[in-house]
């Protein structure tokens, strides 16, 4: 470790080019180096799998390893090093003649990530799109995996694509693989949708309060519904309420989760506000997936992690999923002495979520009639990640200025910019429809394709525009899915990815019409023309 790093996988990367000393996310240079080492080991394991075939250990380690390298997941050097050692042991079990760093074992050498970061700009750009897309997709595959849902084709593709990152050096070979990431991610999101709905029921439109009741409580954040279900079961009859945070908000709409009366509502807003919102909070916070920021001293004693999330000095809940320490901390802190009223960013006291594809398509007839009558002129999908860099107020202004005869579909944590606004309805159809977490982009695509079938046209011919915000790698794999499906004229912001080279950007503009956001007024005028 020489005190240097290179990372440009998230939207807030330093100078819009790359973090080279420490990460803007809080990741230190040595942690970045260990994550690169882990990625190189995963590529080495993929090379061994290419020759000898996968097994349950390599499948698990692939998902855990890639998920660990997603932004704001793991800041703990010890756990990253141990996971790398596990990957090497699994590789050695496949290719016993191969030791770390050696050749001659039939092609299981680890990959030096410096070769990627120092590559030709266009090759680096395409390989980064593949790698970052895989990292995002691994998060979705992991959530399905822990619920017992797997797709062999999805799992095999992780190995195939990582081998290509190591071997392929031409744009002609890499471009089709970029789009294949999108194709496979669509299948992965479909798998996760099935895992969630078959396990927890189909989401139902549900009003969620921002009020926190007096007494002990726990805040749970992230994306993993299984962790929430286990926490709810373990806190049952304990006098401890549970509140969602961030991307866990849509969990309030699942029947098998909302049946617990002590799941009370939602605390706080999007992930980047946590250091302010958790400051001195009289309750523990459980992080189940990414979106962890380095905790401040005022609340670090009450932050717990689980799954692949880890941070030095925090209590980690292991695979046994015994949340007793979290519950004990809630009882010790005691919560608020009186009910406490909180609001969203715009002053609203509640929001409504649960408009998944089943809920929306159940009223598809009314939606189609509203379009045919002219009551609904346009649909906007305004969704994606929230973040810290200036310029994201664009999305609030866009939604506020959208004409009253338009409907806003939204998903992921970017919705916290406007999800407490009262936009009214059109003939009983709410103008703001929260479709869920980032992975629920699948729901939006299901609705879009159903509308296209109803109007006997392509998705690009619908009165539908996509205005997306991005931050990390799950947004990357969703964007690649949209491109795979041929969806064009997407507006992307608040800035374009640093890892997209000028030539690759020109390709995306020429073939898909991708464009950066400008101002809400200009973009609305263009999209409604």
């Amino acid at each position: 470790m020489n005190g240097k790093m290179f990372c440009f996988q998230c939207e807030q990367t330093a100078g819009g080019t790359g973090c080279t000393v420490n990460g803007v996310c809080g990741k230190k240079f040595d942690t970045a180096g260990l994550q690169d080492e882990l990625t190189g080991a995963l590529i080495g394991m993929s090379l061994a799998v290419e020759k000898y075939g996968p097994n349950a250990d390599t499948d698990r380690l692939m998902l855990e390893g890639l998920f660990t390298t997603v932004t704001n997941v793991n800041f703990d050097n010890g756990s990253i090093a141990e996971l790398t050692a596990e990957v090497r042991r699994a590789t050695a079990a496949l290719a016993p003649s191969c030791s770390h760093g050696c050749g001659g074992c039939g092609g299981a050498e680890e990959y030096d990530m410096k070769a990627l970061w120092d590559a030709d700009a266009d090759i680096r750009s395409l390989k980064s799109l593949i790698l970052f897309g895989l990292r995002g997709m691994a998060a979705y595959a992991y959530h399905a995996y822990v619920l017992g849902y797997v797709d062999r084709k999805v799992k095999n593709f992780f190995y195939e694509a990582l081998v290509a990152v190591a071997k392929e050096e031409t744009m002609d070979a890499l471009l089709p693989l970029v789009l294949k990431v999108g194709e496979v991610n669509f299948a992965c999101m479909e798998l996760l949708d099935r895992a969630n709905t078959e396990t927890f029921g189909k989401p139902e439109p549900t009003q969620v309060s921002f009020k926190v009741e007096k007494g002990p409580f726990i805040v749970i954040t992230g994306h993993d519904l299984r962790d929430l279900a286990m926490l709810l079961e373990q806190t049952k009859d304990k006098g401890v309420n549970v509140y969602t945070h961030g991307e866990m908000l849509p969990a309030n709409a699942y029947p098998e989760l909302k049946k617990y009366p002590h799941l009370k509502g939602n605390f706080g807003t999007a992930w980047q506000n946590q250091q302010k919102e958790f400051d001195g909070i009289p309750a523990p916070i459980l992080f189940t997936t990414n979106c962890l920021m380095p905790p401040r001293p005022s609340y670090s004693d009450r932050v717990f992690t689980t799954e692949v999330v880890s941070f030095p000095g925090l209590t980690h809940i292991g695979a046994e999923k015994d949340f007793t320490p979290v519950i004990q901390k809630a009882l010790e802190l005691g919560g608020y002495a009186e009910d406490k009223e909180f609001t969203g960013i715009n002053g609203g006291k509640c929001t409504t979520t649960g408009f998944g594809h089943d809920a929306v398509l159940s009223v598809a007839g009314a939606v189609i009639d509203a379009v045919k009558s002219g009551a609904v002129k346009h649909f906007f999908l305004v969704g994606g990640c929230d973040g810290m860099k200036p310029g994201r107020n664009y999305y609030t202004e866009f939604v506020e200025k959208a004409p009253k005869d338009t409907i806003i579909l939204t998903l992921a944590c970017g919705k916290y910019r406007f999800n407490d606004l009262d936009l009214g309805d059109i003939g009983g159809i709410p103008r703001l429809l929260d479709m869920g977490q980032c992975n629920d982009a699948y729901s939006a695509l299901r609705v879009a394709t159903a509308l296209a079938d109803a109007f006997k046209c392509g998705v690009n011919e619908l009165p539908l525009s996509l205005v997306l915000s991005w931050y990390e790698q799950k947004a990357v794999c969703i964007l690649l899915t949209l491109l795979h499906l041929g969806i064009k004229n997407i507006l992307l912001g608040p800035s374009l990815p640093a890892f997209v080279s000028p030539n690759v950007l020109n390709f995306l503009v020429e073939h898909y019409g991708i464009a950066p956001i400008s101002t809400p007024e200009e973009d609305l005028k263009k999209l409604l023309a």
Side-chain angles (χ1 to χ4, degrees):
M1 299 294 179
N2 60 1
K4 295 290 184 181
M5 62 180 278
F6 181 76
C7 183
F8 63 171
Q9 68 177 4
C10 81
E11 190 268 338
Q12 68 183 16
T13 194
T17 57
C19 295
T20 58
V21 180
N22 287 311
V24 175
C25 67
K27 179 170 62 179
K28 302 299 183 184
F29 75 90
D30 53 346
T31 307
L34 288 169
Q35 290 186 353
D36 275 358
E37 192 175 333
L38 171 58
T39 303
L42 289 170
I43 292 175
M45 186 177 74
S46 298
L47 291 165
V49 166
E50 184 182 41
K51 182 169 185 177
Y52 301 104
N55 58 43
D57 278 345
T58 64
D59 287 349
R60 173 183 62 83
L61 289 167
M62 177 61 72
L63 298 184
E64 288 188 10
L66 287 173
F67 195 176
T68 291
T69 60
V70 169
T71 304
N72 292 89
V73 171
N74 194 317
F75 299 82
D76 183 61
N77 290 355
S79 64
I80 298 170
E82 175 53 34
L83 186 55
T84 304
E86 283 192 68
V87 171
R88 287 171 175 160
R89 287 192 290 269
T91 303
L94 287 179
S97 62
C98 181
S99 60
H100 171 44
C102 81
C105 60
E109 301 90 346
E110 291 188 7
Y111 183 72
D112 183 354
M113 293 296 288
K114 193 172 184 298
L116 173 54
W117 308 141
D118 291 343
D120 166 84
D122 295 331
I123 298 302
R124 181 177 74 167
S125 181
L126 293 173
K127 287 188 175 185
S128 294
L129 276 166
I130 294 166
L131 176 61
F132 301 159
L134 291 176
R135 288 175 173 176
M137 183 167 68
Y140 297 145
Y142 185 89
H143 295 316
Y145 166 78
V146 297
L147 291 173
Y149 287 72
V150 296
D151 183 325
R152 186 71 256 170
K153 290 182 180 178
V154 172
K155 285 193 172 184
N156 286 345
F157 181 69
F158 285 112
Y159 302 112
E160 172 193 338
L162 284 183
V163 167
V165 168
K167 290 184 175 181
E168 299 295 348
E169 295 296 340
T170 68
M171 291 186 69
D172 287 343
L174 292 168
L175 270 170
L177 196 62
V178 169
L179 294 180
K180 190 170 181 182
V181 174
E183 176 187 354
V184 177
N185 184 60
F186 185 71
C188 186
M189 289 193 298
E190 182 179 21
L191 177 72
L192 180 55
D193 177 82
R194 184 159 54 87
N196 284 338
T197 56
E198 291 182 359
T199 305
F200 304 112
K202 296 175 180 178
E204 306 163 341
T206 303
Q207 188 177 86
V208 182
S209 173
F210 297 147
K211 181 176 76 173
V212 176
E213 297 181 12
K214 66 179 181 180
F217 69 98
I218 296 169
V219 174
I220 181 169
T221 188
H223 304 71
D224 201 293
L225 301 184
R226 173 174 170 264
D227 284 330
L228 173 58
M230 289 187 287
L231 179 65
L232 288 168
E233 187 60 29
Q234 291 181 39
T235 49
K236 188 170 60 177
D237 302 323
K238 295 284 178 63
V240 176
N241 291 328
V242 176
Y243 294 84
T244 57
H245 171 268
E247 280 275 65
M248 198 66 83
L249 165 64
N252 289 277
Y254 284 86
E256 290 302 307
L257 298 174
K258 63 189 288 187
K259 72 181 183 182
Y260 290 93
H262 60 296
L263 177 60
K264 292 292 187 177
N266 191 73
F267 177 93
T269 54
W271 69 271
Q272 77 279 359
N273 300 319
Q274 66 188 257
Q275 291 179 329
K276 178 181 177 181
E277 293 174 344
F278 293 161
D279 187 40
I281 183 176
I285 308 105
L286 176 64
F287 280 83
T288 67
T289 60
N290 56 309
C291 303
L292 171 67
M293 296 175 71
R296 290 179 173 172
S298 65
Y299 64 88
S300 60
D301 66 319
R302 58 207 65 182
V303 178
F304 296 81
T305 60
T306 192
E307 299 292 353
V308 298
V309 190
S310 192
F311 193 91
L314 301 185
T315 300
H316 187 79
I317 307 298
E320 73 286 352
K321 296 296 182 182
D322 181 359
F323 293 118
T324 299
V326 188
I327 298 169
Q328 289 176 338
K329 179 62 74 171
L331 293 170
E332 172 194 326
L333 292 169
Y336 295 110
E338 300 294 337
D339 291 357
K340 195 169 179 66
E341 296 284 352
F342 290 97
T343 67
I345 289 176
N346 303 287
K349 294 183 178 181
C350 63
T351 188
T352 301
T353 189
F355 293 98
H357 57 85
D358 290 292
V360 175
L361 293 179
S362 69
V363 294
V367 174
I368 292 167
D369 289 344
V371 173
K372 289 180 176 179
S373 71
V376 173
K377 292 288 199 320
H378 208 87
F379 297 87
F380 294 107
L381 174 58
V382 185
C385 310
D386 208 350
M388 291 180 285
K389 282 174 65 174
R392 290 180 180 267
N393 58 317
Y394 164 95
Y395 297 94
T396 308
E397 294 175 17
F398 186 97
V399 168
E400 288 178 321
K401 294 176 179 179
K404 296 188 183 301
D405 56 5
T406 63
I407 286 178
I408 310 294
L409 308 174
T410 191
L411 46 81
C413 64
K415 63 174 170 274
Y416 278 105
R417 295 275 169 172
F418 49 80
N419 70 341
D420 63 322
L421 292 172
D422 182 2
L423 300 183
D425 65 89
I426 301 175
I429 303 168
R431 285 194 58 227
L432 180 60
L433 301 175
D434 176 7
M435 308 194 79
Q437 298 179 340
C438 52
N439 53 284
D440 291 311
Y442 174 75
S443 275
L445 293 171
R446 279 283 304 274
V447 169
T449 53
L451 289 174
D453 289 343
F455 289 107
K456 296 181 172 54
C457 67
V459 171
N460 289 311
E461 298 170 279
L462 287 171
L464 168 68
S465 301
L466 278 65
V467 185
L468 306 181
S469 56
W470 81 284
Y471 171 71
E472 42 89 325
Q473 297 78 67
K474 286 184 282 185
V476 175
C477 63
I478 291 172
L479 176 63
L480 297 183
T481 293
L482 296 173
L483 299 184
H484 155 70
L485 294 172
I487 295 176
K488 297 184 176 182
N489 303 318
I490 299 168
L491 293 184
L492 186 64
S495 61
L496 295 177
F499 50 82
V500 174
S501 68
N503 285 335
V504 172
L505 178 60
N506 288 340
F507 175 87
L508 296 177
V509 171
E510 179 181 348
H511 289 82
Y512 298 99
I514 285 183
I517 59 173
S518 57
T519 68
E521 295 85 358
E522 291 174 3
D523 289 341
L524 281 166
K525 182 178 179 181
K526 177 173 64 175
L527 295 173
L528 293 172

